[in-house]
Amino acid sequence: MIIKGINFPSLAPLVSLPERNSQNVCELLLSAACKDQDKEYVGFATLPNQVHRKSVKKGFDFTLMVAGESGLGKSTLVNSLFLTDLYKDRKLLNAEERITQTVEITKHTVDIEEKGVKLKLTIVDTPGFGDAVNNTECWKSVADYIDQQFEQYFRDESGLNRKNIQDNRVHCCLYFISPFGHGLRPLDVEFMKALHEKVNIVPVLAKADTLTPTEVKRKKIKIREEIEQYGIKIYQFPDCDSDEDEDFKQQDQELKDCIPFAVIGSNTVVEAKGKRVRGRLYPWGIVEVENPAHCDFVKLRNMLVRTHMQDLKDVTRETHYENYRAHCIQSMTRMVVKERNRNKLTRESGTDFPIPMVPGATDTETEKLIREKDEELKEAVLHKTEHNRDENPINVLR
């Protein structure tokens, strides 16, 4: 400042000096605290973020099977669950063609992306199931398909190249129960008993809009009693941990009480109370698909996609596939012991020819699998030997 021609330096730096000193002291203290934390911080707390980034980059896969007689709304429900049209080229059969139709297995695969997360969804349908006059063992082709996927995964897992193994194992089976009846039919019982050791079965009460709320409640109780009576092992929701919040525990209990899920499917958008919703329009009113007061569609979707999809895959891998794998290994071990004993008897008898097989005995799939793996190993060793011989001919001659 200037006073009577005298020049004075500005006082602003002197006024702000205490503030600046205090700010510098805070920064130094914060920096020292961060350094102390860095000394105690290892860094493995970021592992979940690393797994998350890798999983999102790789993508996810899920295989869902739908089973039940025709006309129960399986295709409509699947389209409603995943907001897609998987049955564009489907041909509807008339009554005569349905009578002669056999059970088929069809696969529909679609890639879905939501908020940067990719999901490869495979829907396995069973057209023709339960439509014939004689439905004896009509579930056998379904069981064979599930076993084939286990076998293919076992082959890939036991092979030489295990980098890109495709997981086509069935993770969940939605079994549709007809609403027209007094509970489970004999076909329903036999199907679920034949498959409950191979796949996660989630029973679904189809076309719930044909029943009153009282009838739905009574039919659910009846079906649960019959499932327990016949010893059918459906998918069991995992128990909540003690540290879970009360809202999650209540939601989990509601899902358990909803078995079987009473569902309604619709791909039609209708107007209800000034809002456009997916539902069905009747002369007496509108049935909303995503209204919890009308059906259990939202709860089923939340269970399949938002809360229990990974658990369904874990149970498939850790329980159903492990049971199949253990059975295969036991069969392979028995066959190896049997072959060893046969060779021992051959050497002791002094004969150069092998003991003939028992007439009428047939090789199992496991024995064929072992022979194929042996051939693969022999070819790999032979190829490696020839390769070494070509590279080092001098060493071979020596």
Side-chain angles (χ1 to χ4, degrees):
M1 63 173 65
I2 299 174
I3 301 177
K4 294 182 180 182
I6 302 175
N7 234 347
F8 289 96
S10 176
L11 298 178
L14 298 176
V15 173
S16 60
L17 185 60
E19 296 180 0
R20 290 185 180 179
N21 289 337
S22 62
Q23 185 178 359
N24 292 337
V25 170
C26 291
E27 290 179 355
L28 290 174
L29 291 175
L30 183 61
S31 176
C34 290
K35 288 182 179 179
D36 291 339
Q37 287 183 354
D38 290 341
K39 291 179 181 178
E40 299 178 358
Y41 181 70
V42 178
F44 58 82
T46 63
L47 280 175
N49 297 332
Q50 299 176 34
V51 175
H52 176 264
R53 286 195 300 269
K54 188 175 180 180
S55 300
V56 170
K57 184 178 180 180
K58 183 180 179 182
F60 301 88
D61 52 67
F62 187 72
T63 303
L64 176 67
M65 173 180 282
V66 289
E69 65 182 36
S70 300
L72 294 181
K74 301 188 297 294
S75 307
T76 305
L77 181 68
V78 169
N79 290 336
S80 302
L81 282 171
F82 299 99
L83 299 178
T84 183
D85 189 5
L86 293 171
Y87 301 91
K88 297 178 181 178
D89 304 326
R90 185 181 61 166
K91 179 184 176 182
L92 297 178
L93 304 178
N94 55 35
E96 294 181 357
E97 292 173 333
R98 286 185 182 179
I99 293 175
T100 58
Q101 184 188 20
T102 58
V103 180
E104 299 178 1
I105 305 294
T106 60
K107 288 175 57 177
H108 304 273
T109 304
V110 61
D111 295 324
I112 305 175
E113 184 172 352
E114 183 181 54
K115 294 182 179 181
V117 179
K118 298 179 181 179
L119 174 67
K120 181 183 177 183
L121 175 67
T122 303
I123 302 296
V124 181
D125 202 353
T126 57
F129 175 81
D131 294 341
V133 176
N134 184 7
N135 292 312
T136 304
E137 292 188 349
C138 63
W139 58 85
K140 195 173 185 305
S141 59
V142 181
D144 291 342
Y145 175 83
I146 296 175
D147 287 338
Q148 287 171 9
Q149 305 313 308
F150 283 155
E151 180 183 351
Q152 184 61 44
Y153 193 86
F154 183 71
R155 286 171 179 269
D156 295 340
E157 192 181 42
S158 306
L160 300 176
N161 185 10
R162 302 172 55 187
K163 290 183 179 179
N164 300 316
I165 299 178
Q166 291 187 353
D167 186 7
N168 294 320
R169 296 171 295 183
V170 181
H171 302 120
C172 179
C173 175
L174 293 182
Y175 185 73
F176 286 69
I177 301 171
S178 174
F180 313 113
H182 299 286
L184 296 177
R185 299 173 303 167
L187 178 61
D188 302 331
V189 175
E190 293 299 326
F191 176 89
M192 288 191 281
K193 288 182 70 174
L195 269 71
H196 66 174
E197 298 285 356
K198 302 175 183 291
V199 68
N200 299 310
I201 298 178
V202 177
V204 172
L205 182 60
K207 292 193 172 183
D209 51 340
T210 62
L211 303 171
T212 64
T214 304
E215 290 174 335
V216 169
K217 186 176 180 180
R218 186 164 56 242
K219 194 172 288 290
K220 281 187 175 186
I221 295 174
K222 177 69 174 176
I223 292 174
R224 283 199 295 263
E225 290 176 351
E226 291 182 342
I227 286 176
E228 184 177 358
Q229 174 185 349
Y230 291 109
I232 300 172
K233 302 175 185 177
I234 61 175
Y235 171 68
Q236 298 294 325
F237 295 100
D239 295 330
C240 294
D241 296 331
S242 58
D243 57 347
E244 296 288 353
D245 55 359
E246 294 299 326
D247 293 338
F248 185 81
K249 291 182 179 179
Q250 182 179 358
Q251 180 184 2
D252 187 72
Q253 188 59 42
E254 289 178 357
L255 287 177
K256 294 178 180 179
D257 295 337
C258 281
I259 297 291
F261 293 94
V263 297
I264 303 168
S266 176
N267 299 319
T268 306
V269 178
V270 296
E271 189 171 346
K273 297 180 182 179
K275 297 181 180 179
R276 295 179 62 81
V277 297
R278 284 190 301 153
R280 293 182 176 273
L281 181 63
Y282 293 99
W284 44 264
I286 296 175
V287 178
E288 299 178 25
V289 172
E290 297 182 352
N291 190 340
H294 293 179
C295 67
D296 299 328
F297 174 83
V298 175
K299 295 176 181 178
L300 175 63
R301 184 180 62 187
N302 290 343
M303 187 277 293
L304 278 178
V305 181
R306 299 183 183 180
T307 58
H308 290 78
M309 177 180 282
Q310 187 58 45
D311 187 69
L312 287 166
K313 297 177 67 173
D314 292 342
V315 173
T316 300
R317 182 184 70 253
E318 298 171 3
T319 303
H320 300 303
Y321 174 69
E322 283 301 318
N323 291 339
Y324 175 85
R325 184 172 174 273
H327 177 72
C328 287
I329 293 176
Q330 288 176 359
S331 301
M332 292 163 63
T333 304
R334 283 196 296 266
M335 196 195 72
V336 170
V337 173
K338 183 178 178 182
E339 187 70 23
R340 231 177 245 168
N341 294 336
R342 186 185 304 150
N343 294 336
K344 184 177 179 181
L345 290 174
T346 304
R347 289 193 301 270
E348 290 178 354
S349 60
T351 58
D352 295 332
F353 54 88
I355 298 177
M357 296 289 291
V358 179
T362 58
D363 293 340
T364 62
E365 292 294 331
T366 307
E367 294 173 351
K368 293 180 181 178
L369 176 61
I370 293 177
R371 284 199 296 271
E372 291 177 2
K373 293 300 174 186
D374 289 341
E375 293 296 330
E376 288 182 8
L377 291 174
K378 289 179 182 177
E379 291 179 1
V381 172
L382 181 62
H383 179 72
K384 188 175 181 180
T385 305
E386 292 177 353
H387 181 70
N388 294 336
R389 185 186 304 163
D390 295 337
E391 289 185 349
N392 303 313
I394 299 176
N395 294 336
V396 174
L397 292 175
R398 288 179 182 175

